[in-house]
Amino acid sequence: MNQKIHDFDVIVIGGGHAGIEAAHAAAQLGSKTLLITLDPQKIGLMPCNPAIGGVGKGHIVYEISALGGLMPRLCTKTYLQARMLNTKKGSAVQGLRLQIDKFAYSALSQEKLKKLPNLTIHGDTVEDILLDDSGHVCGVKTSTTTFSSPTAILTTGTFLNGICHIGEKNFSAGRRDEQAVTGLSLFLNKSGLQLGRLKTGTPARLLRSSLDFSKMEYQEPDQLNYLFEFYPHKSHSSHACYITHTNEKTHQIIKDNLHRSAMYNGNISSVGPRYCPSIEDKINRFATKLSHHVFVEPEGADSDEIYPNGISTSLPLDIQEQYIRTIAGFENAIITKAGYAVEYDFVYPNQLHHTLEVISIAGLFLAGQINGTTGYEEAAGQGIIAGINAHQKAAKKEPFILDRNESYIGVMIDDLVSMSIDEPYRMFTSRAERRLLLRQDNAFMRLTEKAYNLGMIEEQLYTDFLTEKKIIIDTLAQLRAQNSSTDLLRLFGQDEYDKTKLAEYIGTPLSERTLQVIHSEIRYEPYITREKQEIKKTEHFKSMTIPDDFNYTEIPGLSKELQQKLTKHRPQTIAHAALIPGMTPAAISLLIFRIKQLKKGIL
């Protein structure tokens, strides 16, 4: 076979949501970028739920938008329904969720990437990563060609040694009807990286015309003036979503056939997502629960396939048909595609820098499910950071790292590299200690300046952002000069946000997002002040090292649960200890006090 050598600055392997953002970011910043994927016609495919956003996940998409990423723009052009979740709660825990036309999304992502300067798309299988004598990435080898580059980004999703399971049957595949990738797992193993196995799954797809929607609950869309992008956009939901429920008959069929599920017959031994379990896992774990929600979602504007969100499965097709037809509205359901589970290799992410570069292999970056995460949004958030940092490395510039106190993307990456994972990682607002500072409404205030300094966003958007930022700062200053904090809280600190009342009080016409940011800053001011003080305290002590032989069981006042967690994880610093789930400011204070005593020789 005739081998050719081509030079690039950044090579991205994989065309999923992490790969799209990585390639877009690197090319946008000026790197000569190559995107290699098995099938260029499947770039941007949504193999699972046809939706983007939600609580926590939506925060990541807003941050991708503020950083100049592609996902939010694709969403605006391809959504079918818009809903803002948690509207009865404060702005810090609300979440925009868009139902997406998955076919239009994939087509548009391909169109956008093809038009992008500095980006080449190549359909092929990557067999090996090439290293120079110093162990630094110098290129990749595909089935037909060798490409040279000082950086490579692996965004392989579920394809690394992927195995799909439907009941007692299993076969090698990265996802439905697509081949698995084996060579890259061999390279990673050979390089000494610790790999593990994870599992995810998807439900059967149903023929729309075979369903009775009159027996289901209609989900009302929201009329919104902004989606994920900076500029306003009046939402126009065009397709309906519904909710139905499983029942005791459904559950009995599944219980009677658990032995035929790949999850329970021994075929699957890997860990699945705790917060998005299969229907058989739900029924086994929550045995006393008599029903579970099923969200009935369209897959595309012109598609006659429905995605029944909530009944992911690896049961045989005949059992899938039996239990699905016990659900209200699904009595005559026709399955167009069987549900299945997929197992795949991942790399334990504590082997990465915060840039997502592999510690032991200079120039190699990992993003998406290969790092043990689950979800399009988490993958895209990692992809944009990996793409930026691969460019920065190739251009010999400073790395770009987001702190966990300034972004959800920073929270996610810090969690992954500091604590690693023992199950697929999913973003929740509860993972952020400073979520009052990390709201959807202030994502642009937090990150747009950074994106502009990198070169990720255009001049006009930055100019418009600066105008909005000045209005917010000036209006808040004026309100605080005219009113005490107590008066402002009394006027605008109620649970539900009343934009009309705030607008009338200010008197000057302002955009809806500007009003939202101003309201949030007023309402949460005492808590925001406290959080900023906590950040300063943590910053002061975060580099304090914890002795390797530190005995956590001898700290008075520390709960047994936290003693056990600290003993298990053995954090190296106070900053790492603070990341352990369940750690409180009080527990951190006890830990700091004890270490100080040890260093002074008091103990």
mmCIF file of all heavy atoms in Angstrom, residues 86-100:
data_model
loop_
_atom_site.group_PDB
_atom_site.id
_atom_site.type_symbol
_atom_site.label_atom_id
_atom_site.label_comp_id
_atom_site.label_asym_id
_atom_site.label_seq_id
_atom_site.Cartn_x
_atom_site.Cartn_y
_atom_site.Cartn_z
ATOM 1 N N ASN A 86 -36.992 23.455 36.051
ATOM 2 C CA ASN A 86 -36.814 24.008 37.404
ATOM 3 C C ASN A 86 -37.163 25.489 37.509
ATOM 4 O O ASN A 86 -36.557 26.231 38.285
ATOM 5 C CB ASN A 86 -35.362 23.814 37.889
ATOM 6 C CG ASN A 86 -35.135 22.465 38.535
ATOM 7 O OD1 ASN A 86 -36.043 21.652 38.618
ATOM 8 N ND2 ASN A 86 -33.925 22.219 38.982
ATOM 9 N N THR A 87 -38.158 25.935 36.765
ATOM 10 C CA THR A 87 -38.496 27.365 36.778
ATOM 11 C C THR A 87 -39.054 27.818 38.124
ATOM 12 O O THR A 87 -39.054 29.015 38.413
ATOM 13 C CB THR A 87 -39.516 27.701 35.676
ATOM 14 O OG1 THR A 87 -40.647 26.826 35.800
ATOM 15 C CG2 THR A 87 -38.893 27.527 34.305
ATOM 16 N N LYS A 88 -39.537 26.895 38.932
ATOM 17 C CA LYS A 88 -40.055 27.256 40.260
ATOM 18 C C LYS A 88 -38.930 27.441 41.267
ATOM 19 O O LYS A 88 -39.153 27.856 42.396
ATOM 20 C CB LYS A 88 -41.021 26.174 40.772
ATOM 21 C CG LYS A 88 -42.259 25.977 39.915
ATOM 22 C CD LYS A 88 -43.154 27.199 39.921
ATOM 23 C CE LYS A 88 -44.438 26.940 39.144
ATOM 24 N NZ LYS A 88 -45.283 28.155 39.067
ATOM 25 N N LYS A 89 -37.711 27.105 40.848
ATOM 26 C CA LYS A 89 -36.553 27.232 41.734
ATOM 27 C C LYS A 89 -35.697 28.409 41.282
ATOM 28 O O LYS A 89 -35.970 29.045 40.272
ATOM 29 C CB LYS A 89 -35.747 25.935 41.744
ATOM 30 C CG LYS A 89 -36.542 24.745 42.263
ATOM 31 C CD LYS A 89 -35.695 23.492 42.327
ATOM 32 C CE LYS A 89 -36.510 22.311 42.849
ATOM 33 N NZ LYS A 89 -35.700 21.068 42.922
ATOM 34 N N GLY A 90 -34.661 28.709 42.035
ATOM 35 C CA GLY A 90 -33.812 29.842 41.732
ATOM 36 C C GLY A 90 -33.036 29.669 40.440
ATOM 37 O O GLY A 90 -32.891 28.565 39.918
ATOM 38 N N SER A 91 -32.517 30.797 39.927
ATOM 39 C CA SER A 91 -31.844 30.787 38.623
ATOM 40 C C SER A 91 -30.589 29.934 38.608
ATOM 41 O O SER A 91 -30.146 29.496 37.549
ATOM 42 C CB SER A 91 -31.489 32.224 38.220
ATOM 43 O OG SER A 91 -30.687 32.847 39.203
ATOM 44 N N ALA A 92 -30.004 29.661 39.778
ATOM 45 C CA ALA A 92 -28.767 28.877 39.821
ATOM 46 C C ALA A 92 -28.995 27.422 39.445
ATOM 47 O O ALA A 92 -28.064 26.746 39.004
ATOM 48 C CB ALA A 92 -28.137 28.952 41.208
ATOM 49 N N VAL A 93 -30.222 26.924 39.612
ATOM 50 C CA VAL A 93 -30.473 25.501 39.349
ATOM 51 C C VAL A 93 -31.510 25.286 38.257
ATOM 52 O O VAL A 93 -32.044 24.194 38.115
ATOM 53 C CB VAL A 93 -30.890 24.750 40.643
ATOM 54 C CG1 VAL A 93 -29.735 24.678 41.603
ATOM 55 C CG2 VAL A 93 -32.097 25.405 41.297
ATOM 56 N N GLN A 94 -31.794 26.310 37.469
ATOM 57 C CA GLN A 94 -32.639 26.131 36.300
ATOM 58 C C GLN A 94 -31.801 25.558 35.157
ATOM 59 O O GLN A 94 -30.577 25.654 35.161
ATOM 60 C CB GLN A 94 -33.263 27.467 35.889
ATOM 61 C CG GLN A 94 -34.278 27.981 36.898
ATOM 62 C CD GLN A 94 -34.848 29.329 36.516
ATOM 63 O OE1 GLN A 94 -34.620 29.824 35.419
ATOM 64 N NE2 GLN A 94 -35.590 29.921 37.437
ATOM 65 N N GLY A 95 -32.468 24.963 34.187
ATOM 66 C CA GLY A 95 -31.711 24.362 33.084
ATOM 67 C C GLY A 95 -32.495 24.361 31.790
ATOM 68 O O GLY A 95 -33.605 23.835 31.726
ATOM 69 N N LEU A 96 -31.918 24.953 30.747
ATOM 70 C CA LEU A 96 -32.540 24.939 29.423
ATOM 71 C C LEU A 96 -32.325 23.574 28.773
ATOM 72 O O LEU A 96 -31.216 23.058 28.751
ATOM 73 C CB LEU A 96 -31.914 26.036 28.556
ATOM 74 C CG LEU A 96 -32.364 26.086 27.094
ATOM 75 C CD1 LEU A 96 -33.862 26.351 26.980
ATOM 76 C CD2 LEU A 96 -31.582 27.158 26.327
ATOM 77 N N ARG A 97 -33.415 22.998 28.249
ATOM 78 C CA ARG A 97 -33.334 21.713 27.554
ATOM 79 C C ARG A 97 -34.043 21.832 26.219
ATOM 80 O O ARG A 97 -35.202 22.261 26.154
ATOM 81 C CB ARG A 97 -33.970 20.599 28.389
ATOM 82 C CG ARG A 97 -33.811 19.193 27.784
ATOM 83 C CD ARG A 97 -34.453 18.153 28.702
ATOM 84 N NE ARG A 97 -34.122 16.802 28.312
ATOM 85 C CZ ARG A 97 -34.823 16.063 27.446
ATOM 86 N NH1 ARG A 97 -35.893 16.582 26.857
ATOM 87 N NH2 ARG A 97 -34.464 14.823 27.172
ATOM 88 N N LEU A 98 -33.351 21.464 25.157
ATOM 89 C CA LEU A 98 -33.915 21.527 23.812
ATOM 90 C C LEU A 98 -34.062 20.137 23.223
ATOM 91 O O LEU A 98 -33.115 19.350 23.244
ATOM 92 C CB LEU A 98 -33.003 22.357 22.893
ATOM 93 C CG LEU A 98 -32.770 23.823 23.279
ATOM 94 C CD1 LEU A 98 -31.865 24.493 22.254
ATOM 95 C CD2 LEU A 98 -34.080 24.579 23.405
ATOM 96 N N GLN A 99 -35.264 19.841 22.729
ATOM 97 C CA GLN A 99 -35.471 18.637 21.943
ATOM 98 C C GLN A 99 -34.918 18.911 20.557
ATOM 99 O O GLN A 99 -35.216 19.949 19.963
ATOM 100 C CB GLN A 99 -36.958 18.301 21.878
ATOM 101 C CG GLN A 99 -37.261 16.879 21.488
ATOM 102 C CD GLN A 99 -36.800 15.895 22.544
ATOM 103 O OE1 GLN A 99 -36.885 16.167 23.730
ATOM 104 N NE2 GLN A 99 -36.301 14.745 22.101
ATOM 105 N N ILE A 100 -34.085 18.015 20.040
ATOM 106 C CA ILE A 100 -33.341 18.274 18.811
ATOM 107 C C ILE A 100 -33.783 17.347 17.678
ATOM 108 O O ILE A 100 -34.080 16.174 17.903
ATOM 109 C CB ILE A 100 -31.824 18.077 19.067
ATOM 110 C CG1 ILE A 100 -31.321 19.011 20.183
ATOM 111 C CG2 ILE A 100 -31.031 18.281 17.784
ATOM 112 C CD1 ILE A 100 -31.335 20.477 19.850
#
